[in-house]
Amino acid sequence: MTRTKLTHTIAAIGLATGIALSGTAQADYPEQDIRLIIPYGPGGATDIIFRLISQEAEQYLGESIVPVNMAGAGATLGSRNVKDANPDGYTLLGSHDTIALSKLAGTVDYSFDAFEPIALLTQTINIPTAHANHEVQSANEIADYVRENPGQVRFSMIPSSTDHFFWAQFFQEAGIDMADVRLVGYPDTGEQVSALMAEEIDFAMFNLPSGGSFFENDTFRALGIAHPERLDSMPDVATLRELGIAMDHSTSRGIFAPKGTPQEVLDTIAEAYGQALENETVRSRIENEFGSVVRFLAGDDYLEFLDDNEAALSAAAENIDFQN
């Protein structure tokens, strides 16, 4: 055999062996701990929900899922870390709409398509809110109140965050001119709670994790539910659609992997998280403690969901001046 033929033969054997080993490695996945990067600090709803579900999911994987809080840079420190990680299934991202929001706000140059989406897990339904002494009783009264008090009505938001986009979409659907309202920025949800409690603002967007206790003790008034159905825990509060405002809005939490992660690995992770969400204790805690709904989507269904979600956010972004 000539040197050239021998070289080609060895290369072919090496390629075949590499493919076989790669297939075996994927079949044996996982063989070590999996890091789940959470781009927020500990203790918030995003952190707690991902830890809760992951603790159950690891029972089906046979290896530990280790949550790692990586807050900073508007939740982009963690997402960038995963985006640039080795696509082997051992570094994942647990995040939500903020991935698309950051691109729309000009903070980063990537969105959902920079990752391999694995599965949608939960949605936390958002709720337009007033303080208990406010004259507005439900969300469909806000537009008239703004028209009666142009330039005086104060809406709180965290710049470029979920509630910033919520109000932009709400104004559009309710027929409110953004020139007639005052958007007041706050650094975090805690300060928004304090501001509404002190009646420094008229309206804020909360959800059950951030506002549930205040709804229960009548400190705050829920003005509508941004979901197709009423929440079991707040059966007397109408949906926005019932009130004539055609919008749904939630914080949609899912799992992502670096681009190029093998499909077999993605499927294995998705299956484990899907099984975890069938656990009644996990579901009960998600729904009753965190005011969220379980919604599992994987594969093409999740890709379609993300496309639709980003389109809605992009439309809302057209009404936002991110420089102010």
Side-chain angles (χ1 to χ4, degrees):
M1 184 180 291
T2 66
R3 178 182 295 272
T4 300
K5 289 183 178 180
L6 178 61
T7 302
H8 287 168
T9 300
I10 292 173
I13 292 172
L15 178 61
T17 303
I19 292 172
L21 289 175
S22 175
T24 302
Q26 292 173 24
D28 292 340
Y29 173 87
E31 297 182 294
Q32 64 189 55
D33 290 353
I34 299 166
R35 296 168 70 241
L36 176 67
I37 305 299
I38 301 171
Y40 294 95
T46 295
D47 178 56
I48 295 172
I49 287 173
F50 278 122
R51 285 176 182 270
L52 170 66
I53 305 172
S54 297
Q55 187 174 24
E56 182 68 19
E58 68 184 16
Q59 308 301 317
Y60 301 98
L61 289 171
E63 296 288 348
S64 295
I65 300 174
V66 182
V68 179
N69 295 101
M70 194 175 290
T76 64
L77 180 64
S79 66
R80 191 180 297 276
N81 180 277
V82 176
K83 181 178 72 71
D84 297 336
N86 188 16
D88 56 9
Y90 292 106
T91 303
L92 307 177
L93 176 67
S95 192
H96 53 66
D97 317 80
T98 189
I99 296 171
L101 300 185
S102 295
K103 181 180 181 182
L104 291 169
T107 306
V108 295
D109 60 358
Y110 59 87
S111 187
F112 298 127
D113 58 1
F115 302 90
E116 300 288 357
I118 299 175
L120 175 68
L121 306 182
T122 69
Q123 291 184 289
T124 302
I125 311 307
N126 294 319
I127 303 170
T129 305
H131 56 75
N133 296 322
H134 206 286
E135 66 181 78
V136 168
Q137 299 293 311
S138 64
N140 58 348
E141 298 176 8
I142 293 178
D144 286 340
Y145 185 76
V146 169
R147 280 189 283 271
E148 293 165 4
N149 302 276
Q152 302 301 312
V153 186
R154 300 153 298 177
F155 295 80
S156 80
M157 57 87 184
I158 300 171
S160 304
S161 191
T162 304
D163 59 351
H164 199 168
F165 282 78
F166 174 89
W167 287 123
Q169 187 176 351
F170 182 90
F171 296 151
Q172 184 175 21
E173 296 297 338
I176 297 172
D177 189 335
M178 289 190 72
D180 291 337
V181 305
R182 293 174 57 190
L183 284 171
V184 183
Y186 291 89
D188 55 48
T189 302
E191 293 207 19
Q192 290 179 294
V193 168
S194 298
L196 190 61
M197 197 176 296
E199 302 182 13
E200 296 173 359
I201 51 178
D202 294 281
F203 306 109
M205 186 214 80
F206 294 133
N207 45 47
L208 287 183
S210 60
S213 61
F214 301 104
F215 297 138
E216 288 180 8
N217 64 22
D218 295 326
T219 300
F220 295 160
R221 179 184 301 128
L223 303 176
I225 304 296
H227 191 58
E229 300 175 356
R230 296 191 184 196
L231 297 179
D232 291 341
S233 56
M234 305 179 74
D236 295 330
V237 181
T239 69
L240 293 183
R241 291 184 177 277
E242 288 179 90
L243 297 171
I245 301 169
M247 70 174 279
D248 306 317
H249 201 278
S250 62
T251 301
S252 302
R253 295 182 174 89
I255 303 288
F256 300 82
K259 201 75 173 175
T261 302
Q263 187 62 49
E264 296 89 340
V265 171
L266 302 177
D267 293 343
T268 297
I269 299 167
E271 183 178 357
Y273 275 92
Q275 289 178 300
L277 289 172
E278 293 178 6
N279 181 288
E280 287 302 322
T281 301
V282 171
R283 295 177 69 94
S284 177
R285 290 195 63 193
I286 289 170
E287 293 168 3
N288 297 319
E289 291 184 35
F290 306 113
S292 303
V293 295
V294 171
R295 187 178 182 191
F296 181 79
L297 295 176
D300 291 341
D301 290 337
Y302 191 28
L303 290 172
E304 183 179 355
F305 172 88
L306 291 173
D307 287 343
D308 292 344
N309 189 23
E310 188 161 14
L313 293 171
S314 297
E318 295 176 1
N319 296 320
I320 297 177
D321 180 1
F322 291 106
Q323 304 306 312
N324 295 314

